Amino acid sequence: MRKIALYPGTFDPITNGHFDIIERALNLFDEVIVAIALSADKKPMYTLDERIEMVKAALVGLENVTVVGFDNLTVELAKTYKATVLIRGLRAVSDFEYELQLGYLNNSLDEAIETVYLMPKLQHAFISSSIVRNLLKFNAKTEHLVPKEVQKIIGDKKVCMLR
């Protein structure tokens, strides 16, 4: 039986930390589905379609990974794709309490769902999408924080916005 994992998040934008977790999850599972949440309540900087485009660009060349957008409960999406594991990233102790509650909540909604917590490599531990967004607001350097394919898309979108 294939082990399918779902890695849900806003990915606004995808960072090197996210990419690191996806690569390592592919070593643990037969397939990883990167699920990008609409998250209108979070007021993302990028549209769902733009975030999907960025994630797909960042993951070119990786096998057994699928990118989807969603706007429903994570456990419902997991059922749709027959995923029995949710992947969540932990950067610091501050992430742990929230992620633990979320893991318990998802398991209470569907007992067949397990949550696996992965830590990014140390060099990516400080990176978050919100840090990247804040730097982008100030037109600061971000190429060391996001995959090069994503940096190109971000740069192209800036040029379009300036025209």
Side-chain angles (χ1 to χ4, degrees), residues 19 22-24 26 55-56 58-66:
F19 184 84
I22 293 164
E23 275 190 314
R24 289 188 301 115
L26 284 167
V55 172
K56 283 182 175 179
L59 302 181
V60 164
L62 291 183
E63 293 183 21
N64 301 319
V65 63
T66 305

Side-chain angles (χ1 to χ4, degrees), residues 83-95:
T84 56
V85 175
L86 301 179
I87 302 291
R88 299 299 297 174
L90 291 177
R91 293 175 305 232
V93 175
S94 56
D95 291 340

